[in-house]
Structures are given as structure tokens and as C-alpha cells.
Coordinates of all heavy atoms in Angstrom, one line a residue:
M1 N 18.3 13.0 11.1 CA 17.4 12.4 11.9 C 17.7 10.9 12.1 O 16.8 10.0 12.5 CB 15.9 12.5 11.4 CG 15.4 13.9 11.5 SD 14.7 14.1 13.2 CE 13.7 15.5 12.9
E2 N 18.7 10.5 11.8 CA 19.1 9.0 11.9 C 19.1 8.6 13.4 O 18.6 7.3 13.7 CB 20.7 8.8 11.4 CG 20.8 8.7 9.9 CD 19.9 7.6 9.4 OE1 20.0 6.4 9.9 OE2 19.2 7.8 8.4
W3 N 19.3 9.6 14.4 CA 19.3 9.2 15.8 C 17.9 8.7 16.1 O 17.7 7.9 17.0 CB 19.6 10.4 16.7 CG 18.8 11.6 16.3 CD1 19.0 12.6 15.5 CD2 17.5 11.9 17.0 NE1 18.1 13.6 15.4 CE2 17.1 13.1 16.4 CE3 16.7 11.3 18.0 CZ2 16.0 13.8 16.8 CZ3 15.5 12.0 18.3 CH2 15.1 13.2 17.7
L4 N 16.8 9.3 15.5 CA 15.4 8.9 15.8 C 15.3 7.5 15.5 O 14.4 6.8 16.2 CB 14.5 9.7 14.8 CG 12.9 9.7 15.1 CD1 12.6 10.1 16.4 CD2 12.2 10.5 14.1
K5 N 15.8 6.9 14.6 CA 15.5 5.5 14.2 C 16.0 4.6 15.2 O 15.7 3.4 15.3 CB 16.2 5.2 12.9 CG 15.7 6.0 11.7 CD 16.4 5.6 10.5 CE 15.8 6.3 9.3 NZ 16.3 6.2 7.9
T6 N 17.0 5.0 16.1 CA 17.4 4.2 17.2 C 16.6 4.2 18.5 O 16.6 3.6 19.4 CB 18.9 4.6 17.6 OG1 18.9 5.8 18.1 CG2 19.8 4.3 16.3
L7 N 15.7 5.3 18.5 CA 15.0 5.6 19.7 C 13.7 4.9 19.8 O 13.0 4.9 20.9 CB 14.8 7.1 20.0 CG 16.1 7.8 20.1 CD1 15.7 9.4 20.3 CD2 16.8 7.4 21.4
I8 N 13.0 4.5 18.7 CA 11.8 4.0 18.6 C 11.8 2.5 18.1 O 12.6 2.1 17.4 CB 10.8 4.7 17.7 CG1 11.3 4.7 16.3 CG2 10.7 6.1 18.3 CD1 10.3 5.3 15.3
S9 N 11.0 1.7 18.7 CA 10.9 0.2 18.2 C 9.9 0.2 17.0 O 8.9 0.9 17.0 CB 10.5 -0.7 19.3 OG 9.1 -0.5 19.6
R10 N 10.4 -0.6 16.1 CA 9.6 -0.7 14.8 C 9.1 -2.0 14.7 O 9.8 -3.1 15.1 CB 10.4 -0.3 13.6 CG 11.2 1.0 13.8 CD 10.2 2.3 13.6 NE 9.6 2.2 12.3 CZ 8.5 2.8 12.1 NH1 7.7 3.4 12.9 NH2 8.0 2.8 10.8
P11 N 7.9 -2.3 14.2 CA 7.4 -3.6 13.7 C 8.3 -4.1 12.6 O 8.8 -3.3 11.9 CB 6.0 -3.3 13.3 CG 6.0 -2.0 12.9 CD 7.0 -1.3 13.6
S12 N 8.4 -5.4 12.3 CA 9.1 -6.0 11.3 C 8.2 -5.8 10.0 O 7.1 -6.1 10.1 CB 9.3 -7.5 11.5 OG 10.1 -7.7 12.6
K13 N 8.8 -5.4 9.0 CA 8.0 -5.1 7.7 C 7.6 -6.5 7.3 O 8.3 -7.5 7.3 CB 9.0 -4.4 6.8 CG 8.1 -4.1 5.5 CD 8.9 -3.7 4.4 CE 9.3 -2.2 4.5 NZ 9.9 -1.6 3.3
G14 N 6.3 -6.5 7.0 CA 5.7 -7.6 6.5 C 5.4 -8.9 7.5 O 5.0 -9.9 7.2
V15 N 5.3 -8.5 8.7 CA 5.1 -9.5 9.8 C 3.6 -10.0 9.5 O 3.4 -11.2 10.0 CB 5.2 -8.8 11.1 CG1 4.2 -7.8 11.6 CG2 5.3 -9.9 12.4
S16 N 2.8 -9.2 9.0 CA 1.4 -9.8 8.7 C 1.3 -10.1 7.2 O 0.2 -10.2 6.6 CB 0.3 -8.6 8.9 OG 0.4 -8.3 10.3
G17 N 2.4 -10.3 6.5 CA 2.4 -10.6 5.1 C 2.3 -9.2 4.3 O 2.6 -8.2 4.8
K18 N 2.1 -9.4 3.0 CA 1.9 -8.1 2.2 C 0.6 -7.7 2.3 O -0.4 -8.1 1.9 CB 2.2 -8.4 0.7 CG 3.6 -8.8 0.4 CD 4.0 -8.6 -1.1 CE 5.6 -8.6 -1.2 NZ 5.9 -8.5 -2.6
T19 N 0.6 -6.5 3.2 CA -0.8 -5.9 3.6 C -1.3 -4.9 2.6 O -2.4 -4.4 2.7 CB -0.6 -5.3 4.9 OG1 0.5 -4.5 4.9 CG2 -0.4 -6.2 6.1
G20 N -0.5 -4.8 1.5 CA -1.0 -3.8 0.6 C -2.4 -4.1 -0.2 O -3.2 -3.2 -0.5
Y21 N -2.6 -5.4 -0.3 CA -3.9 -5.8 -0.8 C -5.2 -5.5 0.0 O -6.3 -5.6 -0.4 CB -3.9 -7.3 -1.3 CG -3.9 -8.2 -0.1 CD1 -5.3 -8.7 0.2 CD2 -2.9 -8.7 0.4 CE1 -5.2 -9.7 1.2 CE2 -3.0 -9.5 1.4 CZ -4.1 -10.2 1.8 OH -4.3 -11.0 2.8
W22 N -4.9 -5.1 1.4 CA -6.0 -4.8 2.3 C -6.6 -3.4 1.9 O -7.8 -3.0 2.3 CB -5.5 -4.7 3.8 CG -5.0 -5.9 4.4 CD1 -4.6 -7.1 3.8 CD2 -4.5 -6.0 5.8 NE1 -4.2 -8.0 4.5 CE2 -4.0 -7.3 5.9 CE3 -4.5 -5.2 6.8 CZ2 -3.5 -7.8 7.0 CZ3 -4.0 -5.6 8.0 CH2 -3.5 -7.0 8.1
R23 N -5.7 -2.7 1.2 CA -6.0 -1.2 1.2 C -7.3 -0.9 0.3 O -7.4 -1.4 -0.9 CB -4.9 -0.5 0.4 CG -4.5 0.8 0.9 CD -3.2 1.3 0.3 NE -2.9 0.9 -1.0 CZ -1.8 0.2 -1.6 NH1 -0.9 -0.2 -0.7 NH2 -1.7 -0.1 -2.7
T24 N -8.2 0.0 0.7 CA -9.2 0.5 0.0 C -8.9 2.1 -0.2 O -9.5 2.6 -1.2 CB -10.6 0.5 0.7 OG1 -10.4 1.0 2.0 CG2 -11.0 -1.1 0.7
F25 N -8.1 2.7 0.6 CA -7.6 4.0 0.4 C -6.1 4.0 0.4 O -5.6 3.2 1.0 CB -8.1 5.0 1.6 CG -9.5 5.4 1.4 CD1 -10.6 4.5 1.8 CD2 -9.9 6.6 0.7 CE1 -12.0 4.8 1.7 CE2 -11.2 6.8 0.6 CZ -12.3 6.1 1.0
K26 N -5.5 4.9 -0.5 CA -4.0 4.9 -0.7 C -3.6 6.3 -0.3 O -4.1 7.4 -0.6 CB -3.8 4.8 -2.3 CG -2.4 4.7 -2.6 CD -2.4 4.4 -4.1 CE -0.9 4.0 -4.4 NZ -0.8 3.5 -5.9
P27 N -2.4 6.4 0.6 CA -1.9 7.6 0.8 C -1.1 8.2 -0.3 O -0.2 7.5 -0.9 CB -1.0 7.4 2.0 CG -0.5 5.9 1.9 CD -1.6 5.2 1.1
I28 N -1.4 9.4 -0.7 CA -0.7 10.1 -1.6 C 0.0 11.3 -1.1 O -0.4 12.2 -0.4 CB -1.6 10.7 -2.8 CG1 -2.6 9.5 -3.3 CG2 -0.8 11.4 -3.9 CD1 -1.7 8.5 -4.1
Y29 N 1.5 11.4 -1.3 CA 2.3 12.2 -0.6 C 2.5 13.5 -1.6 O 2.8 13.3 -2.8 CB 3.6 11.5 -0.4 CG 4.8 12.3 0.0 CD1 4.8 13.0 1.3 CD2 5.9 12.5 -0.7 CE1 5.9 13.7 1.7 CE2 7.0 13.2 -0.4 CZ 7.0 13.9 0.9 OH 8.0 14.6 1.2
D30 N 2.6 14.8 -0.9 CA 2.8 15.8 -1.7 C 4.2 16.5 -1.1 O 4.1 17.1 0.1 CB 1.7 16.8 -1.4 CG 1.8 18.2 -2.2 OD1 3.0 18.6 -2.6 OD2 0.9 18.8 -2.5
R31 N 5.4 16.3 -1.8 CA 6.5 16.8 -1.4 C 6.6 18.3 -1.1 O 7.1 18.8 0.0 CB 7.7 16.6 -2.4 CG 9.0 17.0 -2.0 CD 9.5 16.3 -0.8 NE 10.8 17.0 -0.3 CZ 10.7 18.0 0.6 NH1 9.7 18.6 1.1 NH2 11.9 18.5 1.1
D32 N 5.8 19.0 -1.8 CA 5.8 20.5 -1.7 C 5.3 20.9 -0.3 O 5.5 22.0 0.1 CB 5.0 21.2 -2.8 CG 5.8 21.1 -4.2 OD1 6.9 20.8 -4.2 OD2 5.0 21.0 -5.1
K33 N 4.3 20.2 0.2 CA 3.8 20.4 1.6 C 4.5 20.0 2.7 O 4.4 20.5 3.9 CB 2.2 20.1 1.7 CG 1.3 20.7 0.7 CD -0.1 20.2 0.9 CE -1.2 20.8 0.0 NZ -2.4 20.0 0.2
C34 N 5.3 19.0 2.5 CA 6.0 18.3 3.6 C 7.0 19.1 4.2 O 7.8 19.8 3.6 CB 6.6 17.1 3.0 SG 7.6 16.1 4.1
V35 N 7.0 19.2 5.7 CA 7.9 19.8 6.4 C 9.0 18.9 7.0 O 9.8 19.4 8.0 CB 7.2 20.8 7.5 CG1 6.4 21.7 6.8 CG2 6.4 19.8 8.4
L36 N 9.0 17.6 6.6 CA 10.0 16.7 7.1 C 10.1 16.6 8.7 O 11.1 16.6 9.3 CB 11.4 17.1 6.4 CG 11.6 16.8 5.1 CD1 12.9 17.4 4.7 CD2 11.4 15.4 4.7
C37 N 8.8 16.4 9.2 CA 8.8 16.3 10.7 C 9.0 14.8 11.1 O 9.1 14.6 12.5 CB 7.4 16.9 11.2 SG 6.1 15.8 10.7
Y38 N 8.9 13.9 10.3 CA 9.0 12.4 10.5 C 7.9 11.8 11.4 O 7.9 10.6 11.9 CB 10.3 12.3 11.4 CG 11.5 12.1 10.5 CD1 12.0 13.3 10.0 CD2 12.1 10.9 10.3 CE1 13.1 13.2 9.1 CE2 13.3 10.9 9.5 CZ 13.8 12.0 8.9 OH 14.9 11.8 8.1
E39 N 6.8 12.6 11.5 CA 5.6 12.0 12.2 C 5.1 10.7 11.5 O 4.7 9.8 12.2 CB 4.5 13.0 12.4 CG 4.7 14.2 13.3 CD 4.7 13.9 14.8 OE1 3.7 13.4 15.2 OE2 5.8 14.0 15.4
C40 N 5.0 10.9 10.2 CA 4.4 9.7 9.5 C 5.4 8.4 9.7 O 4.9 7.3 9.7 CB 4.3 10.1 7.9 SG 5.8 10.7 7.1
Y41 N 6.6 8.7 9.6 CA 7.6 7.6 9.8 C 7.5 6.9 11.1 O 7.5 5.8 11.2 CB 9.0 8.2 9.6 CG 10.0 7.2 10.1 CD1 10.4 6.2 9.4 CD2 10.7 7.4 11.4 CE1 11.5 5.1 9.9 CE2 11.7 6.5 11.9 CZ 12.0 5.4 11.1 OH 13.0 4.5 11.5
V42 N 7.3 7.8 12.2 CA 7.2 7.3 13.6 C 5.9 6.5 13.7 O 5.9 5.4 14.3 CB 7.3 8.5 14.5 CG1 6.9 8.0 16.0 CG2 8.6 9.2 14.5
Y43 N 4.8 7.0 13.3 CA 3.5 6.5 13.5 C 2.9 5.3 12.6 O 2.0 4.6 12.9 CB 2.5 7.5 13.7 CG 2.6 8.2 15.1 CD1 3.2 9.5 15.1 CD2 2.2 7.8 16.1 CE1 3.3 10.2 16.1 CE2 2.3 8.4 17.4 CZ 3.0 9.6 17.4 OH 3.0 10.3 18.5
C44 N 3.6 5.1 11.4 CA 3.1 4.1 10.5 C 3.2 2.8 11.2 O 4.2 2.3 11.5 CB 3.9 4.0 9.3 SG 3.5 2.7 8.2
P45 N 2.1 1.9 11.3 CA 2.1 0.7 12.0 C 2.7 -0.4 11.2 O 2.8 -1.5 11.7 CB 0.7 0.5 12.4 CG -0.1 1.2 11.3 CD 0.7 2.3 11.0
E46 N 2.9 -0.1 9.9 CA 3.4 -1.2 9.1 C 4.9 -1.0 8.7 O 5.6 -1.9 8.0 CB 2.6 -1.2 7.8 CG 1.3 -1.8 8.0 CD 1.2 -3.4 8.4 OE1 2.2 -3.9 7.9 OE2 0.4 -3.7 9.1
N47 N 5.5 0.0 9.3 CA 7.0 0.4 9.0 C 7.2 0.4 7.6 O 8.1 -0.1 7.0 CB 7.9 -0.9 9.6 CG 9.3 -0.5 9.7 OD1 9.7 0.8 9.5 ND2 10.1 -1.5 9.8
C48 N 6.3 1.0 6.9 CA 6.4 1.1 5.4 C 6.7 2.5 4.9 O 6.7 2.8 3.8 CB 5.2 0.5 4.7 SG 3.7 1.3 5.0
V49 N 7.0 3.4 5.8 CA 7.4 4.9 5.5 C 8.8 4.9 5.6 O 9.4 4.6 6.8 CB 6.6 5.9 6.4 CG1 7.2 7.2 6.1 CG2 5.2 5.7 6.1
E50 N 9.5 5.5 4.7 CA 11.0 5.7 4.8 C 11.2 7.2 4.2 O 10.3 7.6 3.5 CB 11.8 4.8 3.8 CG 12.0 3.4 4.4 CD 12.9 3.4 5.7 OE1 13.7 4.2 5.8 OE2 12.4 2.4 6.5
I51 N 12.2 7.9 4.8 CA 12.4 9.2 4.3 C 13.8 9.3 3.7 O 14.8 8.9 4.5 CB 12.3 10.3 5.4 CG1 10.9 10.3 6.0 CG2 12.5 11.7 4.9 CD1 10.5 11.3 6.9
V52 N 13.9 9.2 2.4 CA 15.1 9.1 1.7 C 15.4 10.5 1.0 O 14.6 10.8 0.2 CB 15.0 7.9 0.7 CG1 16.3 7.7 -0.1 CG2 14.6 6.7 1.3
E53 N 16.6 11.0 1.2 CA 17.0 12.2 0.7 C 16.1 13.3 0.7 O 15.6 14.0 -0.2 CB 17.5 12.0 -0.8 CG 18.9 11.0 -0.8 CD 19.3 10.7 -2.2 OE1 18.7 11.3 -3.3 OE2 20.3 10.2 -2.4
K54 N 15.3 13.4 2.0 CA 14.4 14.5 2.2 C 13.0 14.3 1.5 O 12.2 15.2 1.2 CB 14.9 15.8 2.1 CG 16.1 16.0 3.0 CD 16.6 17.6 2.7 CE 17.7 17.7 3.8 NZ 18.3 19.1 3.6
V55 N 12.8 13.0 1.1 CA 11.5 12.7 0.5 C 10.9 11.5 1.1 O 11.6 10.5 1.4 CB 11.7 12.4 -1.0 CG1 10.4 12.0 -1.7 CG2 12.2 13.7 -1.7
V56 N 9.6 11.6 1.4 CA 8.9 10.5 2.0 C 8.6 9.4 1.0 O 8.1 9.7 -0.1 CB 7.5 10.8 2.6 CG1 6.6 9.7 3.1 CG2 7.8 11.7 3.8
K57 N 9.0 8.1 1.2 CA 8.7 7.0 0.3 C 7.8 6.1 1.1 O 8.0 5.7 2.2 CB 10.0 6.3 0.0 CG 11.1 7.3 -0.6 CD 10.8 7.5 -2.1 CE 12.1 8.1 -2.6 NZ 11.8 8.6 -4.0
I58 N 6.8 5.7 0.4 CA 5.8 4.7 1.0 C 5.8 3.4 0.2 O 5.8 3.4 -0.9 CB 4.4 5.2 1.0 CG1 4.2 6.5 1.7 CG2 3.3 4.3 1.5 CD1 3.0 7.3 1.5
D59 N 6.1 2.3 0.9 CA 6.1 1.0 0.3 C 4.7 0.5 0.2 O 4.1 0.0 1.2 CB 7.0 0.2 1.2 CG 7.3 -1.3 0.5 OD1 6.4 -1.7 -0.4 OD2 8.3 -1.9 0.8
Y60 N 4.2 0.5 -1.0 CA 2.8 0.2 -1.3 C 2.6 -1.3 -1.2 O 1.5 -1.7 -1.2 CB 2.3 0.8 -2.6 CG 2.1 2.3 -2.5 CD1 2.9 3.2 -3.2 CD2 1.1 2.9 -1.7 CE1 2.8 4.6 -3.3 CE2 1.1 4.2 -1.6 CZ 1.8 5.1 -2.4 OH 1.7 6.5 -2.4
D61 N 3.6 -2.1 -1.1 CA 3.5 -3.6 -1.0 C 3.0 -3.9 0.4 O 2.2 -4.8 0.7 CB 4.8 -4.2 -1.2 CG 5.1 -4.5 -2.6 OD1 4.2 -4.3 -3.6 OD2 6.2 -4.9 -3.0
F62 N 3.3 -2.9 1.3 CA 3.1 -3.2 2.7 C 2.0 -2.2 3.4 O 1.5 -2.4 4.4 CB 4.2 -3.3 3.7 CG 5.1 -4.5 3.1 CD1 6.3 -4.3 2.2 CD2 4.8 -5.7 3.5 CE1 6.9 -5.3 1.8 CE2 5.6 -6.8 3.2 CZ 6.7 -6.6 2.2
C63 N 1.9 -1.1 2.7 CA 0.8 0.0 3.3 C -0.5 -0.6 3.1 O -1.0 -1.0 2.1 CB 1.0 1.3 2.4 SG -0.4 2.5 2.7
K64 N -1.1 -0.6 4.3 CA -2.6 -1.1 4.2 C -3.6 -0.1 4.3 O -4.8 -0.4 4.4 CB -2.8 -1.9 5.5 CG -2.7 -1.3 6.8 CD -2.5 -2.3 8.0 CE -2.5 -1.5 9.3 NZ -2.2 -2.4 10.5
G65 N -3.2 1.2 4.1 CA -4.1 2.3 3.9 C -4.9 2.6 5.1 O -6.0 3.1 5.0
C66 N -4.3 2.6 6.2 CA -5.0 2.8 7.5 C -5.4 4.3 7.6 O -6.1 4.7 8.4 CB -4.2 2.3 8.8 SG -2.6 3.1 8.9
G67 N -4.5 5.1 7.1 CA -4.5 6.6 7.1 C -3.9 7.3 8.3 O -4.0 8.5 8.5
I68 N -3.2 6.5 9.1 CA -2.5 7.2 10.3 C -1.7 8.3 9.9 O -1.6 9.3 10.5 CB -1.9 6.1 11.2 CG1 -3.1 5.3 11.8 CG2 -1.0 6.6 12.3 CD1 -2.6 4.0 12.7
C69 N -0.8 7.9 8.9 CA 0.3 8.8 8.4 C -0.4 10.2 8.0 O 0.0 11.3 8.3 CB 0.9 8.4 7.2 SG -0.1 7.8 5.9
S70 N -1.5 10.1 7.5 CA -2.4 11.4 6.9 C -2.9 12.1 8.1 O -2.9 13.3 8.2 CB -3.4 10.8 6.0 OG -4.3 12.0 5.6
E71 N -3.4 11.3 9.2 CA -4.0 11.9 10.3 C -2.9 12.7 11.1 O -3.2 13.9 11.7 CB -4.7 10.8 11.2 CG -6.0 10.3 10.7 CD -7.1 11.4 10.7 OE1 -7.1 12.2 11.7 OE2 -7.8 11.5 9.8
V72 N -1.8 12.1 11.2 CA -0.7 12.8 12.2 C 0.0 13.8 11.4 O 0.7 14.6 12.0 CB 0.2 11.7 12.7 CG1 -0.5 10.7 13.6 CG2 1.1 11.0 11.6
C73 N 0.0 13.9 10.1 CA 0.8 15.0 9.4 C 0.4 16.3 9.6 O -0.9 16.6 9.4 CB 0.7 14.6 7.8 SG 1.6 15.7 6.8
P74 N 1.2 17.1 10.4 CA 0.8 18.5 10.6 C 0.7 19.4 9.3 O 0.2 20.6 9.5 CB 2.0 18.9 11.5 CG 3.0 18.2 11.0 CD 2.6 16.8 10.6
A75 N 1.1 19.0 8.3 CA 1.2 19.9 7.0 C 0.2 19.3 5.9 O 0.3 20.0 4.9 CB 2.6 19.8 6.5
N76 N -0.7 18.4 6.3 CA -1.6 18.0 5.3 C -0.9 17.6 3.9 O -1.3 17.8 2.9 CB -2.8 18.9 4.9 CG -3.6 19.2 6.2 OD1 -3.9 18.3 6.8 ND2 -3.9 20.5 6.4
A77 N 0.2 16.9 4.2 CA 1.1 16.6 3.0 C 0.8 15.1 2.5 O 1.2 14.7 1.5 CB 2.6 16.7 3.3
I78 N -0.1 14.4 3.3 CA -0.6 13.1 2.8 C -2.1 12.9 2.6 O -2.8 13.2 3.6 CB 0.0 12.0 3.8 CG1 1.5 12.0 3.8 CG2 -0.5 10.6 3.2 CD1 2.1 11.0 4.8
E79 N -2.5 12.8 1.5 CA -4.0 12.6 1.2 C -4.4 11.2 1.0 O -3.7 10.6 0.3 CB -4.4 13.5 0.0 CG -5.9 13.5 -0.4 CD -6.2 14.3 -1.5 OE1 -5.3 14.9 -2.2 OE2 -7.4 14.6 -1.9
M80 N -5.5 10.7 1.6 CA -6.0 9.4 1.5 C -6.9 9.5 0.2 O -8.0 10.3 0.3 CB -6.7 9.0 2.7 CG -5.7 8.8 3.8 SD -4.3 7.8 3.5 CE -5.0 6.2 3.4
V81 N -6.6 8.7 -0.8 CA -7.4 8.7 -2.0 C -8.0 7.4 -2.2 O -7.3 6.4 -2.0 CB -6.6 9.2 -3.1 CG1 -7.3 9.0 -4.4 CG2 -6.0 10.6 -3.1
K82 N -9.1 7.2 -2.7 CA -9.8 5.9 -2.8 C -9.1 5.2 -3.9 O -8.7 5.7 -5.0 CB -11.3 6.1 -3.2 CG -12.1 4.8 -3.0 CD -13.6 5.1 -3.0 CE -14.5 3.9 -2.7 NZ -13.9 2.6 -2.3
E83 N -8.8 3.8 -3.7 CA -8.2 3.0 -4.7 C -9.1 2.9 -5.9 O -10.3 2.8 -5.6 CB -7.9 1.7 -4.1 CG -6.8 1.6 -3.1 CD -5.4 1.5 -3.7 OE1 -5.2 1.5 -5.0 OE2 -4.4 1.4 -3.0
D84 N -8.5 2.6 -7.0 CA -9.4 2.4 -8.3 C -10.1 1.1 -8.1 O -9.7 0.1 -7.6 CB -8.5 2.3 -9.4 CG -7.9 3.8 -9.7 OD1 -8.6 4.7 -9.3 OD2 -6.8 3.9 -10.4
Ligands
LIG1 S1 -1.8 4.6 5.3 FE1 0.1 5.5 6.1 S2 0.3 4.8 8.2 FE2 -1.1 3.4 7.1 S3 0.1 1.7 6.6 FE3 0.1 3.3 4.8 S4 1.8 4.5 5.0 FE4 1.5 3.4 7.0
LIG2 S1 4.1 13.8 8.7 FE1 3.8 15.0 6.7 S2 5.1 16.8 7.1 FE2 5.8 15.1 8.4 S3 7.3 13.9 7.2 FE3 5.4 13.0 7.0 S4 4.5 13.8 5.1 FE4 6.2 15.1 5.7

């Protein structure tokens, strides 16, 4: 899916600073449910989703907990959980 990375424009990571502290809900990823469709990567507005060696990695320094990745995931592989 490297080609996909050249077809979409991405925000600069951290353009709004470290947005992780905005978060009240945290996305929790379940590899067993993931079908590697790249929807979370495409739609994350903070550019903090990467897919490395077929595993979704979320950069929690910049994830603001908006829940878009969870909403667009067709496999329910990302659950939003309240922060402690
Ligand atoms: S909740 Fe998901 S879509 Fe929103 S910033 Fe975090 S990783 Fe990106
Ligand atoms: S949207 Fe869901 S199924 Fe698709 S890559 Fe992301 S976590 Fe995996």
C-alpha cells in the first residue's frame, strides 16, 4: 500500500502541537480484528496512524482522541476507551 501514501495529502504531524493532551478517549487497537484496509490511516486528521509490518501504530503524543479512526474502521478493530 505504499502507493496510497502518494495519493493523499496529509497534515503535518504536530501542526497544532502535541495534541495528545487534548484526549479524553483513547483509541485501542485490536490486531486480531484488523483487516488492514487503511481507512484509519487515510482518515486520521492528525496524521498519527502508521501501519508498520501489517500492524496499526498510533502515535499517542499526537492522537487527540477524536474517534474518527474508530468510526471508519469496518472491522471494529479500534475501540475508544475513556482515559484514566
Ligand atoms: S482518535 Fe484516531 S483518528 Fe483521531 S487523532 Fe487519534 S488516531 Fe487519529
Ligand atoms: S480501519 Fe480498522 S481494519 Fe482498517 S486498517 Fe485501520 S484498524 Fe485495521
Side-chain angles (χ1 to χ4, degrees):
M1 288 278 196
E2 281 303 308
W3 58 270
L4 182 61
K5 296 181 178 179
T6 63
L7 295 180
I8 57 174
S9 67
R10 308 286 297 153
S12 299
K13 186 187 276 189
V15 72
S16 302
K18 285 199 173 182
T19 46
Y21 75 92
W22 298 7
R23 216 172 39 239
T24 53
F25 283 85
K26 183 176 189 174
I28 303 296
Y29 170 66
D30 184 340
R31 176 66 191 90
D32 291 338
K33 292 182 179 174
C34 178
V35 295
L36 291 172
C37 68
Y38 278 71
E39 293 285 301
C40 54
Y41 167 78
V42 170
Y43 285 102
C44 174
E46 289 294 327
N47 193 19
C48 61
V49 174
E50 288 290 332
I51 299 182
V52 181
E53 296 179 357
K54 299 185 177 179
V55 176
V56 168
K57 305 278 187 190
I58 297 170
D59 186 339
Y60 290 113
D61 280 347
F62 298 99
C63 166
K64 63 188 177 188
C66 66
I68 290 173
C69 56
S70 178
E71 285 294 317
V72 299
C73 177
N76 294 319
I78 301 178
E79 181 184 5
M80 298 305 291
V81 175
K82 198 159 183 8
E83 288 273 5
D84 293 334

